[in-house]
Amino acid sequence: MAYLPSQAGREGGSYDDLESDQPAAFDISDYILSDEVTAPASFGQPESPVPPMVGVGQTATQTSSGSNLSAAGSSSSATRSAVERLRTDEGSKIAFRTKSEVEILDDGFKWRKYGKKSVKNSPNPRNYYRCSTEGCSVKKRVERDKEDPSYVITTYEGTHNHMSPGVVYYTTQDSTSGRFYVAGCELPPGS
DNA sequence: CGCGTTTGACCTGCGC
DNA sequence: GCGCAGGTCAAACGCG
């Protein structure tokens, strides 16, 4: 695990206590981590052609109706999150911590649980989810923060190759290629 | 009946 | 080679 610059020097340790000096655009209380950091890590990179998928849901829902990121029962006030998109050789991996009473955050996609495992350094079990859309192999790991159970650590792995049925999408145009991108998705070439 | 969850077993990578 | 830990599989079960 390598931590992002904002957390540099804290390797091997906890990733709590991020409340310190994060940008104010989001009420960030999160940490971000990835196995492979291949791009500069600054939250909410405006040049990023494809914004973080959860940020999409968050933006869409909050923008449209100020509704909830978590449809599973927690109020928006009980859920704060920040995300960072990172690239790996196989795609992207995003990890973030969310203050939430529930573990299942509705990001607009349909997830199917396929495993549960207790991890060594945490009293809380880790849950494994997979996107239930046919042909989509995005995975998600969810576990409670060992040091602050009121936080949920979510790790997304991979990129959706389809649109979410439950999210209002925003498109952004890449200045160099002129192509349009759908936030949260990386559509197959030619589609 | 179809879909999602649960849960123990199995597989794999890694450190010693 | 062995043991441990993390990740995945798949059968059983529950629910709408």
Side-chain angles (χ1 to χ4, degrees):
Chain A
M1 273 302 185
Y3 292 84
L4 299 187
S6 63
Q7 290 298 299
R10 302 190 57 152
E11 288 197 32
S14 61
Y15 30 71
D16 57 335
D17 175 33
L18 290 206
E19 319 261 351
S20 51
D21 50 2
Q22 294 287 348
F26 295 83
D27 190 7
I28 298 174
S29 60
D30 309 294
Y31 79 104
I32 290 129
L33 65 160
S34 174
D35 286 331
E36 296 181 43
V37 179
T38 56
S42 62
F43 176 69
Q45 287 174 286
E47 67 273 21
S48 175
V50 186
M53 58 186 98
V54 173
V56 173
Q58 195 174 27
T59 300
T61 53
Q62 289 183 347
T63 301
S64 59
S65 63
S67 63
N68 53 330
L69 171 64
S70 168
S74 72
S75 65
S76 58
S77 62
T79 303
R80 298 182 297 164
S81 70
V83 295
E84 179 61 51
R85 182 187 181 86
L86 295 156
R87 291 246 170 223
T88 68
D89 290 341
E90 296 151 21
S92 62
K93 181 179 285 192
I94 304 171
F96 58 94
R97 193 172 68 152
T98 303
K99 186 178 180 74
S100 176
E101 297 168 7
V102 296
E103 295 182 10
I104 310 303
L105 304 179
D106 184 5
D107 49 19
F109 293 93
K110 201 174 179 183
W111 299 96
R112 179 179 201 155
K113 189 175 186 175
Y114 68 90
K116 179 182 179 181
K117 191 82 175 179
S118 59
V119 291
K120 188 186 177 188
N121 290 320
S122 175
N124 305 309
R126 176 180 295 168
N127 296 300
Y128 298 89
Y129 298 86
R130 180 176 292 157
C131 184
S132 63
T133 301
E134 189 175 1
C136 183
S137 58
V138 177
K139 296 171 191 173
K140 173 167 102 169
R141 286 193 294 262
V142 179
E143 64 179 303
R144 288 223 167 258
D145 192 321
K146 63 180 179 182
E147 297 185 10
D148 189 345
S150 65
Y151 286 84
V152 175
I153 299 168
T154 307
T155 303
Y156 289 88
E157 196 168 335
T159 305
H160 293 281
N161 59 5
H162 59 94
M163 291 188 183
S164 165
V167 168
V168 176
Y169 287 90
Y170 290 80
T171 57
T172 56
Q173 186 174 22
D174 183 65
S175 57
T176 53
S177 67
R179 290 185 60 183
F180 285 93
Y181 294 85
V182 177
C185 288
E186 226 164 33
L187 299 175
S191 63

